[in-house]
Amino acid sequence: MKRKDQHDAAAPPEKMKRKDYEAELDKLHVELVKLQQWIVAKQLKVCIVFEGRDTAGKGGTIKAITDRVSPRVFRVVALPAPTERELSQMYMQRYLKHLPAGGEVVIFDRSWYNRAGVERVMGFTPESKVKRFLRITPLVERSIIESEIILLKYWLEVSEEEQTLRLQARADDGRKIWKLTPMDLKSYGKWYDYSRARDEMFVATDTPHAPWFVARTDDKRRGRLNIIRHILDQIPYESLPRVKVQLPKRQKRGDYVEPDHPYRYVKERY
């Protein structure tokens, strides 16, 4: 994806150090908790869509967002391959049922845009269905927004070189090998097919009422912080009054006696 302004044309900054990243993330986590309280209090409905190339950092970004908030408020949806029944449904049907109710944030780790991306590039869906999807999706998203759902769509963009490094790291690291799927390997050689699919998707679905926001994520840490800050900027919120917490006194032991039970303790190896 081409860089458009003078600032973007400059050499990218050095990758962010972990200490600096964690310090900034701690501040943003405090703001996310404030946002959570506001969303619950005002019964707002928020839907956040994350799309992007393989290894662009969707999972890590979502983890950074949800690390310090309630999973009952911030719900992550990562759907598996559709069942036979779901294949016979209206395409959007299995996604729409996961949209948020009042007081909820739903985060889609990949979404209905699978049809415009991997399904199209890998030949899982006929072109006629892809064209129809691109035509009707702006109408569906307008309906979502008119139902008072705040819809935010993020595309995470990673360079060819960085993607290669990350895929190789998955292959070499026993902690990450589960992330390297046969689909990743098949997709790797189709960089420009994915570029064309992305470009056509943007033309059709980057609308005034539901725009795409693009985040460069060659530096994962900077990318995560920029996205979280952007989300906070998109949803006006205020700090709600905090009730001062005072722990109550514990009850007295009374006649309680520790049981003589042969507990099976976990072996303390560390």
Side-chain angles (χ1 to χ4, degrees):
M1 186 170 291
K2 293 181 180 179
R3 297 178 175 178
K4 295 182 179 179
D5 57 37
Q6 189 174 11
H7 173 73
D8 291 342
E14 290 183 4
K15 290 197 173 181
M16 196 172 207
K17 295 179 180 178
R18 177 178 293 277
K19 183 175 73 171
D20 296 334
Y21 166 71
E22 291 178 348
E24 291 301 318
L25 186 59
D26 284 347
K27 297 174 188 175
L28 292 177
H29 278 157
V30 172
E31 294 305 312
L32 282 170
V33 170
K34 293 178 185 177
L35 175 63
Q36 171 182 266
Q37 293 172 321
W38 183 259
I39 287 170
V40 172
K42 300 300 180 181
Q43 288 293 284
L44 300 182
K45 297 176 286 187
V46 181
C47 178
I48 306 175
V49 168
F50 282 105
E51 294 287 347
R53 297 183 186 273
D54 293 331
T55 77
K58 296 178 291 296
T61 299
I62 291 169
K63 185 178 185 301
I65 293 169
T66 58
D67 197 35
R68 299 297 182 188
V69 291
S70 169
R72 291 183 292 276
V73 178
F74 281 72
R75 208 159 34 86
V76 179
V77 176
L79 298 183
T83 63
E84 287 296 320
R85 181 174 184 276
E86 288 171 334
L87 285 171
S88 70
Q89 296 175 341
M90 180 182 76
Y91 175 71
M92 296 286 277
Q93 189 170 338
R94 76 187 193 116
Y95 294 100
L96 294 177
K97 67 183 180 182
H98 293 283
L99 290 176
E104 290 182 347
V105 179
V106 169
I107 300 175
F108 281 96
D109 184 354
R110 293 201 180 276
S111 65
W112 47 90
Y113 283 101
N114 270 343
R115 174 136 294 181
V118 64
E119 289 187 18
R120 183 182 204 180
V121 173
M122 302 307 295
F124 298 152
T125 303
E127 272 296 301
S128 59
K129 289 188 176 182
V130 174
K131 297 290 187 183
R132 185 167 67 230
F133 168 82
L134 293 175
R135 187 174 66 252
I136 68 172
T137 295
L139 303 176
V140 174
E141 291 179 350
R142 181 177 290 280
S143 178
I144 290 172
I145 292 164
E146 288 178 353
S147 299
E148 299 183 336
I149 293 175
I150 299 170
L151 177 61
L152 301 174
K153 303 187 305 188
Y154 291 95
W155 176 271
L156 278 58
E157 186 66 24
V158 66
S159 67
E160 291 180 78
E161 296 78 13
E162 185 65 22
Q163 185 187 61
T164 298
L165 290 173
R166 292 179 187 178
L167 285 172
Q168 191 61 57
R170 290 181 181 183
D172 297 339
D173 190 333
R175 300 167 301 171
K176 299 178 180 179
I177 190 65
W178 64 272
K179 293 183 176 183
L180 188 61
T181 67
M183 186 61 64
D184 291 335
L185 297 176
K186 290 180 181 178
S187 299
Y188 177 73
K190 295 181 178 289
W191 179 271
Y192 289 105
D193 286 344
Y194 273 100
S195 295
R196 282 187 283 270
R198 176 205 60 200
D199 296 346
E200 190 169 344
M201 181 188 77
F202 277 13
V203 168
T205 64
D206 185 17
T207 59
H209 61 274
W212 279 102
F213 298 106
V214 179
R216 289 195 294 270
T217 56
D218 273 14
D219 185 335
K220 289 182 179 181
R221 292 167 182 164
R222 292 185 192 278
R224 292 169 191 167
L225 297 178
N226 288 330
I227 290 168
I228 295 173
R229 183 69 263 173
H230 190 271
I231 290 171
L232 292 168
D233 290 342
Q234 297 305 303
I235 308 172
Y237 67 98
E238 299 174 14
S239 297
L240 295 175
R242 292 178 59 184
V243 177
K244 186 175 181 180
V245 176
Q246 185 172 359
L247 297 177
K249 291 183 179 179
R250 289 192 188 275
Q251 63 184 161
K252 295 181 179 180
R253 176 186 290 270
D255 60 355
Y256 176 77
V257 178
E258 294 286 346
D260 184 17
H261 183 83
Y263 292 109
R264 295 174 178 85
Y265 286 103
V266 173
K267 188 173 182 180
E268 296 179 353
R269 302 181 181 184
Y270 302 99

